[in-house]
Amino acid sequence: MLDYTAMILAIGPELWLAAAGLVGVLLGALLKDRFNSLSFKYGALALFGAAAITLIFYEGGEAFGGLVRTNTFVNFAKFVSFSVGGFALIMSEGFLKRHDTIRYEYVLLTIFASLGMGIILSASDLMTLYMGIETLSLSSYVLAAFHRDSARSSEAGLKYFVLGALASGMLLYGASLVYGFAGTTSYAGIFTADTSIGLLFGMVMMIVGLAFKVSAAPMHVWTPDVYEGAPTPVGAFFATAPKMASMVVFANVMFTAFGNILDQWQMVISIIAGMSMLVGSFGALTQTNIKRLLGYSSIANMGYALVAVAAGRETGAGALLIFMTLYVISSLGLFAGVLAMRRRGGMVESIDELGGLMSSRPWLAIALSILIFSIAGLPPFGGFFGKWEVFNAGIQAGLMPLAIILVVASVVSLGYYLRVVKIMWFDEPKERFEPIDGSVTLTVLVSAFVAGIVFLIFINALAEWANTAALGLPS
Amino acid sequence: MGGFPILSAVVFLPLIGALIIMGVRTATAGSFSKEEAGKDNRAALLAGMIISGATFIASVAAFLTFDSNAAGYQLVEHYAWYGAVTYKVGVDGLSMPLILLTTFLTPICLLASWNSIHTRVTEYVVAFLVLETFMLGVFAALDIVLFYIFFEAGLIPMFLIIGIWGGKEKIYAAFKFFLYTLLGSLLMLVAVVYMFQAAGSSDIEVLEKFAFPPHVQTWLWLAFAASFAVKLPMWPVHTWLPDAHVQAPTAGSVILAGVLLKMGGYGFLRFSLPMFPDASHLFQPAMFALAVIAIVYTSLVAWRQTDMKKLIAYSSVAHMGFVTLGIFSFNEVGVQGAIFQMLSHGLISGALFLIVGVVYDRMHTREIAAYGGLVNRMPVYATLFMLFTMANVGLPGTSGFIGEILTMVGGFQASTWAAAGAALGVIFSAVYMLTLYRRTVFGEITNPKLEGIRDMSMIELVCIVPLALLTLLFGVAPNLIFHITEGATNRILSLMVGG
């Protein structure tokens, strides 16, 4: 007999999303094309509703005999992921309408991807984890290829699928090894299992699989291609909600399942973190496409986040939540900025197209500059505290070499961030962009205001909330 | 002390003003025709001057409530902000004069831009006001994280000022300025995080009394020095300065030389000396060596320059060498002299850049060879130029003399050789400054374009004359400054001994 109360406490948001997705399918079947436009409001409602439900059952619980177990740490991530996912959905509508690809399937796929994010965050068992990852990934592959008439989009989807399948295979192989040597698939059981070479081997394979999901080097190669090829709103979604979820899941697996062998994986994560920072920041230097640039920038930022993971649970968990929250808000705003880059004849993606934005659209330019400086971790904007937290965690854990790499990567990445600022402020004005959707303008301005200014002044509120949430991790 | 938070008001007044200007500009955008755009620009500049003028008055009001005889921090405001990181501001005898220098120079900079900046004036004014807030914040912050935020934030408006309103190579100069300084400050950030964790607080007053183990001090000192040495700038990390100075608009150069360079010296005095005394002693010989190299080498480099601004930029590096010498002499005379030299150099180099700007606005070249015989057409200009030439050389009666002699006396007590080397620099400074003066001002007019050149306008006089008066005033009555800085100097030195 299922305990329904425990079930709702533990996975209320996922139940809501699953129901919303299925009802959406029915509505689509009944209303057909009339549902296309309406579906975006529906989807946003579903995601914001899931975020609200997460808050209601914030303390979490355990269900299905320990297959899922939620706590404040993962619920924090769920809340942020669902919220930014909702915003990403709202601002996509105009884009898809103009490209004549406004289909309710887009919304449903986003809902199912979000369901996957919810499941992996709730998972406390390798089986649940794998199921969630596949739900998230399969929806994502289709989303990447959503412009099926466009060769670039199809290519992005295919690349993502082939490489993603490989990574999933690695993850599954690692999970089976872990199961073989630990004798259990539950995080708690693995935590107490004896360390053996087979367990470590499985763990490393799992790290490879998870690193692919968060696009950390050297499993990052898909990121720029998929960001570039996928329709821009899809890129905006990929860069925000699943990033937050996957990174927190990565941390959750390392802290909860392998938490007592920190000394065994700290070095592995450190190397991945260091490589991501360097690959991301150097790789972005020569990019001319804004979406590719953001792709590399996200690789570098995942490297920063992994510094917090490598720092371990006590020092890193809170820092990770703070950093990732600030990062996804800025990232969402920047992608909204890309959506605003529209001229007669469609979207433009070259960085040079931003030329002289300060003259043609000053507020957009100022907001984007704030977002860029914030994502670069430059004071006086909120993003600085994200980097500060990561620094703090890294140094407290004694990872001095990583801190130095972080410094180097930050300076290098400023090289390309500044180039974007330079183009917006210094260059000769180009032709004005087409009128921008209200939702896009709003997203840019709000995210710049929140990430840049609100979380500069009221960073304490965010930090306290995140640090308290991190205490929910089982120790 | 409760009462009105006067210091925060001084720091944030320019920022608030900048926001108001931006708001008004947005509200009235498009309501001006092409012909009226000029009027609009003047209005923005005027608004900027009113705001920075009000800031100056506010800072003077803060100064009036400041007790020069007390040694510790005054006008302290302390609010909770981010866990152990707090919003804490306050001033002592070291920061108060630098705050006054900043608020004094900013309106002058805006006034000096009256006729030289014609494009995107609103943004220019906003950038300057935002920069002013960040500069004031650097000097007022009594929390090391708050200090760091202001310190690095200042890069952004300066980057824009150089990059938008600069000369031909402005993009290169802006990037070099930004990335060079950023690398230094990020290393400092690593040290800040470490100190924050070790001491459990980011309060400067707590950190001053916290005894870091000597081997840790060495690393922390190096990390801080990486930042301050770039900012000061010291040889061999000074190469960004000539580029930035040459490309920046006149007012940008004034603020760069006048205030931004002082942050380096301020940082050494506020952090390196009191917090890492052992390491400071350890690195004293190295700093002396670098100071002497800076003084002698950059003086020689300055001598060979053909660009007026570049010459003054190199002379700035040399004069900052005296500041280093004074700071690392660890005695009262030297440190007092260093602070004095910072203030004096702020006035003199600021004025020299304005002087170059005067002829640049008329001729649009900074080549020394393009000038000559200016005295025949511009007697007032020649007089003021002469005054600041002499002040830069360190002629008695000007503030430049006091700063140089005291830093050398202080340096002499610590190391005879260092003082001897620095003295060589004084001679060289006479060589390059007098060469510059002779080639531009004296002689016959060789360049026919100079025939019709006008003497200084009223606006230019209003900019430069106050600087001239202060240079002379502090030259004959240096006690006005020493009276303020004495308490803070003794406090820093006692912290070095007391650990």
Side-chain angles (χ1 to χ4, degrees):
Chain A
M1 180 69 193
L2 280 170
D3 182 350
Y4 290 105
T5 331
M7 205 166 95
I8 289 177
L9 281 179
I11 53 162
E14 285 84 86
L15 293 175
W16 162 270
L17 279 174
L22 295 174
V23 171
V25 173
L26 275 180
L27 284 175
L30 290 174
L31 298 173
K32 303 225 161 51
D33 285 349
R34 275 169 295 163
F35 188 49
N36 286 343
S37 183
L38 189 67
S39 65
F40 282 82
K41 277 126 203 136
Y42 176 80
L45 195 71
L47 286 172
F48 289 132
I53 293 173
T54 314
L55 280 192
I56 297 171
F57 304 123
Y58 187 57
E59 291 302 319
E62 187 182 331
F64 306 120
L67 282 178
V68 295
R69 188 178 295 127
T70 52
N71 52 46
T72 49
F73 180 68
V74 295
N75 277 337
F76 182 99
K78 273 190 205 172
F79 174 73
V80 176
S81 305
F82 295 153
S83 309
V84 294
F87 277 108
L89 206 49
I90 291 175
M91 68 186 195
S92 335
E93 190 182 345
F95 176 92
L96 293 165
K97 200 174 271 171
R98 272 189 300 277
H99 286 76
D100 234 9
T101 48
I102 180 153
R103 310 274 312 165
Y104 62 83
E105 284 91 341
Y106 180 91
V107 176
L108 299 181
L109 287 167
T110 308
I111 294 179
F112 285 124
S114 306
L115 172 64
M117 296 190 291
I119 295 175
I120 52 176
L121 282 165
S122 305
S124 69
D125 191 286
L126 297 181
M127 293 305 291
T128 330
L129 175 72
Y130 183 72
M131 270 166 44
I133 282 192
E134 286 307 287
T135 315
L136 169 59
S137 303
L138 286 172
S139 314
S140 307
Y141 304 147
V142 184
L143 276 175
F146 200 74
H147 275 181
R148 56 182 179 189
D149 295 335
S150 143
R152 281 206 312 172
S153 178
S154 307
E155 182 195 331
L158 191 65
K159 264 185 192 163
Y160 194 16
F161 174 68
V162 172
L163 292 172
L166 184 68
S168 289
M170 295 253 201
L171 182 77
L172 200 57
Y173 181 53
S176 68
L177 274 176
V178 170
Y179 173 57
F181 282 87
T184 172
T185 51
S186 88
Y187 290 0
I190 298 166
F191 188 83
T192 49
D194 292 332
T195 314
S196 60
I197 188 73
L199 183 77
L200 294 181
F201 203 78
M203 180 189 76
V204 171
M205 299 298 269
M206 285 188 66
I207 290 179
V208 170
L210 289 168
F212 175 88
K213 298 292 167 200
V214 300
S215 70
M219 275 66 74
H220 64 280
V221 278
W222 62 276
T223 317
D225 291 341
V226 171
Y227 276 35
E228 187 193 4
T232 310
V234 176
F237 179 68
F238 285 173
T240 51
K243 277 270 148 49
M244 175 87 193
S246 312
M247 185 49 87
V248 171
V249 166
F250 201 156
N252 193 26
V253 170
M254 299 325 287
F255 296 160
T256 324
F258 302 107
N260 60 350
I261 46 170
L262 171 70
D263 48 335
Q264 301 284 352
W265 52 261
Q266 189 169 46
M267 179 63 87
V268 181
I269 302 280
S270 298
I271 291 172
I272 294 179
M275 282 185 70
S276 305
M277 292 191 274
L278 293 176
V279 166
S281 47
F282 280 99
L285 281 177
T286 53
Q287 300 304 324
T288 53
N289 181 302
I290 183 95
K291 283 157 78 180
R292 286 189 80 84
L293 183 108
L294 288 174
Y296 277 104
S297 145
S298 90
I299 296 170
N301 274 288
M302 290 307 109
Y304 303 146
L306 283 172
V307 175
V309 178
R313 183 177 60 81
E314 285 86 2
T315 46
L320 180 72
L321 291 182
I322 299 170
F323 177 85
M324 285 305 294
T325 308
L326 290 166
Y327 168 73
V328 293
I329 297 174
S330 314
S331 198
L332 183 75
L334 283 175
F335 265 100
V338 179
L339 278 175
M341 293 170 65
R342 202 158 54 79
R343 294 228 167 78
R344 258 188 312 272
M347 305 293 295
V348 287
E349 289 173 3
S350 165
I351 302 175
D352 293 330
E353 300 288 343
L354 286 167
L357 191 64
M358 191 56 203
S359 312
S360 52
R361 287 192 184 275
W363 285 103
L364 183 63
I366 290 174
L368 286 180
S369 308
I370 290 180
L371 286 167
I372 287 171
F373 284 129
S374 188
I375 216 169
L378 205 73
F381 301 111
F384 166 70
F385 283 112
K387 215 167 241 184
W388 161 263
E389 282 294 330
V390 167
F391 245 131
N392 218 338
I395 292 176
Q396 204 165 342
L399 302 169
M400 222 17 136
L402 268 190
I404 301 295
I405 295 181
L406 214 164
V407 166
V408 174
S410 299
V411 176
V412 175
S413 62
L414 242 301
Y416 61 82
Y417 288 132
L418 277 183
R419 190 155 56 92
V420 182
V421 174
K422 172 222 142 195
I423 287 168
M424 286 195 292
W425 289 71
F426 302 170
D427 285 8
E428 286 304 308
K430 297 231 169 188
E431 190 192 343
R432 211 173 136 96
F433 289 135
E434 299 274 288
I436 305 167
D437 296 336
S439 56
V440 171
T441 316
L442 195 72
T443 313
V444 176
L445 292 180
V446 167
S447 56
F449 186 66
V450 170
I453 295 164
V454 172
F455 282 144
L456 170 72
I457 302 168
F458 301 107
I459 180 69
N460 204 32
L462 175 69
E464 261 178 22
W465 190 31
N467 285 326
T468 323
L471 294 179
L473 271 174
S475 49
Chain B
M1 194 184 82
F4 183 68
I6 177 87
L7 200 55
S8 292
V10 172
V11 171
F12 288 105
L13 191 60
L15 183 66
I16 294 165
L19 292 177
I20 292 173
I21 292 179
M22 257 159 65
V24 171
R25 189 72 182 79
T26 315
T28 60
S31 66
F32 290 96
S33 60
K34 271 246 162 60
E35 297 78 57
E36 280 180 314
K39 215 191 270 177
D40 189 28
N41 290 341
R42 294 289 163 87
L45 268 174
L46 195 63
M49 275 186 283
I50 291 171
I51 289 158
S52 55
T55 314
F56 176 62
I57 293 169
S59 66
V60 171
F63 176 62
L64 292 179
T65 59
F66 178 83
D67 177 11
S68 305
N69 297 316
Y73 297 108
Q74 302 174 41
L75 308 175
V76 174
E77 297 162 32
H78 202 170
Y79 305 104
W81 182 23
Y82 180 27
V85 179
T86 54
Y87 175 83
K88 186 176 182 188
V89 291
V91 284
D92 67 350
L94 170 61
S95 47
M96 193 71 231
L98 289 167
I99 286 179
L100 289 170
L101 179 71
T102 310
T103 56
F104 178 69
L105 282 179
T106 309
I108 290 182
C109 284
L110 288 173
L111 183 61
S113 315
W114 192 259
N115 285 321
S116 54
I117 300 291
H118 302 289
T119 51
R120 303 166 75 175
V121 179
T122 318
E123 293 161 43
Y124 181 81
V125 175
V126 167
F128 255 94
L129 291 176
V130 171
L131 180 63
E132 186 180 11
T133 282
F134 292 152
M135 293 186 300
L136 292 171
V138 165
F139 296 129
L142 282 187
D143 183 287
I144 198 162
V145 178
L146 188 65
F147 168 85
Y148 179 81
I149 288 175
F150 282 126
F151 189 81
E152 206 171 294
L155 298 182
I156 298 171
M158 198 64 212
F159 173 75
L160 298 178
I161 289 172
I162 298 176
I164 298 179
W165 297 280
K168 281 197 194 76
E169 302 285 323
K170 58 190 183 180
I171 308 284
Y172 170 76
F175 271 74
K176 192 169 178 182
F177 161 76
F178 199 108
L179 296 178
Y180 234 101
T181 330
L182 183 75
L183 182 62
S185 21
L186 280 172
L187 289 172
M188 177 168 79
L189 181 62
V190 178
V192 167
V193 171
Y194 183 90
M195 289 163 69
F196 176 63
Q197 285 172 2
S201 168
S202 55
D203 190 329
I204 287 178
E205 277 184 284
V206 175
L207 291 170
E208 276 171 347
K209 297 189 176 71
F210 190 87
F212 292 99
H215 67 280
V216 175
Q217 278 191 26
T218 308
W219 289 106
L220 295 177
W221 190 95
L222 283 172
F224 272 77
S227 179
F228 300 144
V230 170
K231 204 88 183 179
L232 193 57
M234 285 168 62
W235 185 88
V237 286
H238 65 282
T239 55
W240 63 271
L241 186 77
D243 285 311
H245 264 318
V246 170
Q247 299 305 326
T250 302
S253 298
V254 173
I255 219 73
L256 193 59
V259 183
L260 288 180
L261 303 191
K262 288 8 178 223
M263 289 179 186
Y266 174 79
F268 275 124
L269 284 170
R270 178 66 83 225
F271 301 100
S272 304
L273 259 58
M275 293 180 194
F276 322 123
D278 298 339
S280 296
H281 279 289
L282 180 69
F283 287 107
Q284 185 189 33
M287 294 305 275
F288 276 164
L290 290 178
V292 171
I293 292 174
I295 294 171
V296 174
Y297 169 76
T298 50
S299 296
L300 290 173
V301 174
W303 187 25
R304 299 311 307 162
Q305 294 307 312
T306 55
D307 182 307
M308 295 163 88
K309 260 185 149 177
K310 223 169 196 166
L311 188 148
I312 299 167
Y314 278 109
S315 124
S316 285
V317 181
H319 283 89
M320 287 297 115
F322 283 101
V323 174
T324 320
L325 180 71
I327 291 173
F328 284 88
S329 64
F330 306 140
N331 52 48
E332 195 194 335
V333 185
V335 174
Q336 288 257 46
I339 303 173
F340 192 92
Q341 171 76 352
M342 288 202 278
L343 297 169
S344 143
H345 178 261
L347 299 172
I348 297 170
S349 69
L352 281 170
F353 279 116
L354 286 173
I355 296 247
V356 174
V358 167
V359 284
Y360 179 76
D361 285 346
R362 289 164 174 66
M363 300 293 294
H364 299 285
T365 174
R366 290 180 299 258
E367 284 297 311
I368 297 173
Y371 296 94
L374 286 176
V375 69
N376 300 315
R377 292 286 179 276
M378 307 172 76
V380 180
Y381 179 77
T383 314
L384 282 168
F385 197 171
M386 171 59 99
L387 172 74
F388 286 109
T389 301
M390 288 307 156
N392 208 29
V393 170
L395 192 76
T398 63
S399 61
F401 170 73
I402 311 284
E404 285 183 12
I405 194 77
L406 286 186
T407 49
M408 277 197 288
V409 169
F412 188 83
Q413 290 176 14
S415 158
T416 319
W417 283 108
L424 211 55
V426 181
I427 302 169
F428 289 136
S429 76
V431 173
Y432 64 75
M433 279 316 288
L434 292 176
T435 311
L436 170 71
Y437 191 74
R438 180 181 61 77
R439 290 174 61 190
T440 51
V441 177
F442 287 151
E444 291 303 313
I445 293 181
T446 46
N447 186 345
K449 286 185 192 153
L450 288 172
E451 287 292 348
I453 199 164
R454 287 167 291 108
D455 205 345
M456 292 171 76
S457 70
M458 192 45 100
I459 289 175
E460 287 158 353
L461 281 175
V462 172
C463 288
I464 296 175
V465 167
L467 296 172
L469 294 178
L470 281 181
T471 308
L472 290 172
L473 176 68
F474 293 145
V476 292
N479 270 335
L480 291 172
I481 301 285
F482 293 142
H483 178 60
I484 307 172
T485 57
E486 191 179 2
T489 307
N490 287 327
R491 189 168 162 279
I492 288 166
L493 293 174
S494 69
L495 280 167
M496 284 196 74
V497 180

